Amino acid sequence: MSSLPQPIVNFMIVGAQKAGTTTLWSYLDDHPDTCMAWGREVHLFDLMDTPYVQRERLDQFYAGYFQHFNGEALRGESTPAYLFHPTALTEIRRYNPDMKLIVLLRDPIERALSHYAMERAQGHERWPLWLALVLEAPRLWWHRLTPGPRIRPMFYSYASRGLYRRQLRRVFALFRREQVLIVDSRELQEKHIETLQRVYRFLGLHEMTPEPAPRRRFVTRDKVQPGLISRLWLSLRLGRERRWYQRGRFDQL
């Protein structure tokens, strides 16, 4: 193992959850000039109390995820909860003001359905879809007020995580535009070579030879078929955000 520079991490995939972050992580993990954190999702800035912790202490924590480091120019991690978490981005900026961030976006309604299917499969969600959507706001409010694991509010944020513009405004309030790359998950699926070239250029990496093969994404154990109430609720909450996403003008917030 080579000696790790500080700060250890100089780029991150910060979201959105269920938008292809695992696929992009695997592509970047194969690049010879990147060292991706072991285990993929580190959850340092959303699950740990990082305020006022010195950067050296954070890097001590990170070092355990980079024991395979061998002198690569870039060290990255992928924790898609960071984009939605209320304080993670602020703490990331404090850790490394020059951090480069990659944000993947997916149709917000499809993302919400995939998120719900995942939580059901993992045993975190017991309510039917329509009731989980109706109860989302009060559940998030309640869990933020009551003691318990900090990750709990993240389970039930089906529609809230699809409010991309609100989250991106917070990103750009903290980081310069040239530090942030927004990727449409449709392009990662349908034009993965061109999309990866954009990612490589953004990170300052050379293009890979041979070109990486396409990979599966959005693997969900259960297909969710929303009923009338769920469709209406999702259209009400996310209809405008979906139209913004479909236009693909992600610079217009």
Side-chain angles (χ1 to χ4, degrees), residues 108-109 234-244 246:
I109 293 179
L234 287 168
S235 295
L236 179 66
R237 287 292 312 277
L238 296 174
R240 292 181 62 186
E241 210 71 20
R242 172 183 252 182
R243 290 190 291 274
W244 171 82
Q246 289 172 339

Side-chain angles (χ1 to χ4, degrees), residues 208-252:
M208 285 185 64
T209 305
E211 295 175 338
R215 300 173 191 184
R216 295 181 66 195
R217 56 185 275 281
F218 304 151
V219 178
T220 304
R221 296 177 185 175
D222 300 310
K223 293 291 183 180
V224 176
Q225 298 298 330
L228 177 61
I229 295 176
S230 298
R231 290 199 303 270
L232 290 173
W233 188 262
L234 287 168
S235 295
L236 179 66
R237 287 292 312 277
L238 296 174
R240 292 181 62 186
E241 210 71 20
R242 172 183 252 182
R243 290 190 291 274
W244 171 82
Y245 167 79
Q246 289 172 339
R247 287 194 296 269
R249 299 295 302 273
F250 301 143
D251 58 331
Q252 297 180 357

Side-chain angles (χ1 to χ4, degrees), residues 61-232:
F61 176 89
Y62 264 133
Y65 289 86
F66 290 91
Q67 295 183 23
H68 54 299
F69 174 71
N70 192 32
E72 292 88 351
L74 297 179
R75 290 82 52 197
E77 70 134 310
S78 173
T79 302
Y82 291 161
L83 180 64
F84 178 70
H85 193 274
T87 62
L89 292 167
T90 301
E91 293 305 305
I92 290 168
R93 184 181 184 278
R94 189 173 66 87
Y95 166 74
N96 184 356
D98 297 320
M99 185 77 73
K100 287 192 173 184
L101 305 180
I102 302 174
V103 179
L104 289 103
L105 301 181
R106 181 184 182 183
D107 180 295
I109 293 179
E110 291 181 5
R111 196 222 68 81
L113 296 173
S114 181
H115 184 180
Y116 173 81
M118 180 185 71
E119 302 299 355
R120 288 280 290 190
Q122 294 180 352
H124 298 144
E125 181 59 82
R126 61 192 179 96
W127 298 115
L129 175 61
W130 71 270
L131 188 53
L133 292 170
V134 171
L135 292 176
E136 177 177 334
R139 288 167 98 183
L140 293 178
W141 175 81
W142 175 253
H143 284 305
R144 285 173 179 143
L145 290 180
T146 56
R150 294 180 67 188
I151 198 171
R152 286 190 311 174
M154 311 301 281
F155 294 147
Y156 314 120
S157 47
Y158 308 118
S160 299
R161 289 204 197 203
L163 298 173
Y164 298 136
R165 286 176 290 179
R166 178 184 303 174
Q167 297 167 73
L168 289 172
R169 290 186 192 106
R170 189 164 67 240
V171 170
F172 290 123
L174 294 166
F175 297 90
R176 301 185 304 275
R177 292 267 174 168
E178 59 268 25
Q179 289 178 256
V180 182
L181 178 68
I182 302 175
V183 177
D184 188 335
S185 64
R186 295 171 296 187
E187 295 180 350
L188 185 61
Q189 181 182 34
E190 298 165 6
K191 299 184 292 185
H192 79 284
I193 296 298
E194 295 92 331
T195 303
L196 286 174
Q197 289 171 348
R198 281 184 60 217
V199 174
Y200 295 155
R201 287 194 298 270
F202 170 70
L203 294 175
L205 295 168
H206 64 79
E207 296 179 10
M208 285 185 64
T209 305
E211 295 175 338
R215 300 173 191 184
R216 295 181 66 195
R217 56 185 275 281
F218 304 151
V219 178
T220 304
R221 296 177 185 175
D222 300 310
K223 293 291 183 180
V224 176
Q225 298 298 330
L228 177 61
I229 295 176
S230 298
R231 290 199 303 270
L232 290 173

